[in-house]
């Protein structure tokens, strides 16, 4: 088993979270997004979210982060959750929904889901303000 994977299992990440991390699910940038936002959370980690929006629906999204494994798995999961959803459905997603979707992350990393959720909300607000 690879070393990162065994460390993540020991730390309390679910298999799903570990796969997202190792496969870098939804990590990257969108060329020509409808909106992009970069946000640095209180922990000092930074996330950037790119959204492609059409008729109020998030058709595609990506993120990048300078941050911990918790930030990456939360970003991967949140982007999976919002693809094909309306802006209203997406902005209702809470940290706990992201953690449930992942099926478990270490307790000390729960706040990392906030970084993803806050960045997404800021992107949606900025998009609505720009319409
Ligand atoms: Fe900052 Fe995880 S410690 S997002």
């Amino acid at each position: 088993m690879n070393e990162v994977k065994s460390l993540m299992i020991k730390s309390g990440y679910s298999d799903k979270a570990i796969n997202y991390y190792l496969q870098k699910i939804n990590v990257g940038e969108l060329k020509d997004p409808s909106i992009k936002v970069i946000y640095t959370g209180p922990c000092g980690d930074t996330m950037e979210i790119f959204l492609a929006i059409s008729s109020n629906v998030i058709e595609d999204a990506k993120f990048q982060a300078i941050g911990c494994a918790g930030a990456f798995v939360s970003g991967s999961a949140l982007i999976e959750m919002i693809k094909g959803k309306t802006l209203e459905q997406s902005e209702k997603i809470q940290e706990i929904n992201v953690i449930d979707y992942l099926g478990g992350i270490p307790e000390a990393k729960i706040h990392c889901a906030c970084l993803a959720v806050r960045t997404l909300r800021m992107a949606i607000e900025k998009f609505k303000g720009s319409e």
Side-chain angles (χ1 to χ4, degrees):
M1 185 188 300
N2 100 20
E3 208 171 308
V4 175
K5 188 168 181 179
S6 75
L7 270 175
M8 288 182 83
I9 291 171
K10 275 190 208 137
S11 307
Y13 287 95
S14 67
D15 282 349
K16 188 176 186 180
I18 294 167
N19 284 337
Y20 278 1
Y21 185 73
L22 295 176
Q23 292 175 30
K24 303 191 185 317
I25 299 295
N26 298 318
V27 177
E29 37 183 305
L30 288 184
K31 285 200 170 67
D32 215 11
S34 309
I35 201 84
K36 63 177 176 174
V37 154
I38 189 162
Y39 169 67
T40 301
C43 65
D45 288 346
T46 298
M47 186 172 287
E48 185 170 27
I49 286 185
F50 304 81
L51 302 177
I53 300 164
S54 174
S55 306
N56 208 43
V57 172
I58 298 176
E59 303 224 302
D60 200 7
K62 293 266 186 211
F63 80 101
Q64 16 189 58
I66 306 165
C68 70
F72 275 93
V73 299
S74 299
S76 293
L78 183 60
I79 301 290
E80 283 296 282
M81 294 167 80
I82 62 172
K83 280 191 208 167
K85 298 277 181 352
T86 65
L87 298 179
E88 289 67 31
Q89 289 169 324
S90 302
E91 67 192 351
K92 278 191 199 132
I93 296 172
Q94 312 274 332
E95 291 81 359
I96 187 70
N97 306 128
V98 175
I99 293 158
D100 286 349
Y101 186 88
L102 281 166
I105 61 174
E107 223 169 284
K109 293 279 137 192
I110 286 174
H111 74 274
C112 307
C114 296
L115 181 70
V117 167
R118 279 188 197 160
T119 311
L120 173 67
R121 286 192 189 146
M122 286 173 65
I124 293 173
E125 264 170 45
K126 188 173 166 190
F127 177 77
K128 286 182 169 175
S130 72
E131 275 184 305

